[in-house]
Amino acid sequence: MRPEVVLFDLADVVCRFRPRRRLELLAGACGVGVERVERVLYESGRIARWDQGLGSASEIRRTLREELGYPGDADALHEIWCSAFEPDPRVLEVVDGLRPLRTALLTNNDALVLEALPEVLPQVAARFDPLVFSCLLGATKPDPAAYTRALDLVGVPPEAAVFIDDKPANVAGAQAVGITAIHFTGAPELAALLADLLGRQSGG
């Protein structure tokens, strides 16, 4: 079956992932050390829970105000929260080259990223429909449920989807449910693999 949709991971595929940048900006805004931000967000397990959908965007904002003393407004927080993502123009060119084939995101991320992404990085969000976030799915990659629920949202069977991720475990998880999956190592390699895959399937 010819693919109907190509699903892209966000961090370290569509965007270079710079989590330290978010930590430093948030620490600066709150007047606390980076180590405290790391404890509140990561060592506490909050980010992992938020990625699983256990926390709305408003609940995340409230936690940042109460635990870190974040003083700014929602727009400024959107900028900080998305500062971890640096769009890779080479990958965006690959995405554009797939038209008219559908492209969607499949990412392990929280509700605040989902809320902020279209505002802060419209050049990323506009290229994908839908934006499938783990916080909507109630499961994170490589849990099989993340893939099967994503396919339900996109409305295609496994054999009609291609998935791209930088983590081998997430690639293997997609393959385990019948999705054709590609391990991302760089934009040129991805372009070549997709051209080969789509060309072979369309010609065969």
Side-chain angles (χ1 to χ4, degrees):
M1 177 181 291
R2 180 171 175 78
E4 297 177 25
V5 62
V6 181
L7 297 152
F8 286 78
D9 179 37
L10 179 62
D12 282 331
V13 177
V14 173
C15 293
R16 303 178 188 94
F17 191 44
R18 305 287 189 259
R20 183 78 180 181
R21 184 182 298 163
R22 176 197 285 174
L23 295 176
E24 290 173 348
L25 289 173
L26 188 56
C30 297
V32 301
V34 171
E35 295 78 10
R36 173 160 174 72
V37 178
E38 286 184 305
R39 286 196 301 271
V40 168
L41 296 184
Y42 289 95
E43 294 175 21
S44 67
R46 283 189 174 95
I47 288 288
R49 294 196 298 273
W50 293 340
D51 284 352
Q52 293 171 346
L54 302 176
S56 66
S58 62
E59 290 168 340
I60 295 171
R61 283 192 291 270
R62 184 171 63 250
T63 296
L64 299 178
R65 288 195 301 268
E66 293 177 354
E67 297 291 329
L68 293 173
Y70 176 72
D73 62 17
D75 289 342
L77 184 57
H78 283 176
E79 293 282 350
I80 291 172
W81 211 245
C82 285
S83 66
F85 302 101
E86 182 181 292
D88 187 335
R90 300 169 304 169
V91 177
L92 295 180
E93 287 180 7
V94 174
V95 175
D96 291 341
L98 293 173
R99 304 298 181 213
L101 191 62
R102 292 173 63 197
T103 54
L105 281 183
L106 176 51
T107 177
N108 287 349
N109 264 297
D110 59 68
L112 190 55
V113 177
L114 177 58
E115 180 181 275
L117 193 72
E119 172 192 325
V120 179
L121 296 174
Q123 72 273 37
V124 172
R127 285 177 159 92
F128 302 98
D129 184 25
L131 304 177
V132 183
F133 276 52
S134 60
C135 62
L136 299 175
L137 303 173
T140 53
K141 301 172 293 184
D143 185 335
Y147 304 100
T148 56
R149 293 171 189 173
L151 292 171
D152 288 342
L153 278 178
V154 177
V156 301
E159 59 271 17
V162 176
F163 173 63
I164 299 149
D165 200 289
D166 63 299
K167 294 181 173 60
N170 293 344
V171 171
Q175 292 170 335
V177 301
I179 299 171
T180 298
I182 295 172
H183 179 215
F184 178 81
T185 58
E189 295 83 0
L190 176 61
L193 287 168
L194 285 170
D196 182 59
L197 173 68
L198 298 173
R200 180 170 63 248
Q201 295 204 3
S202 65

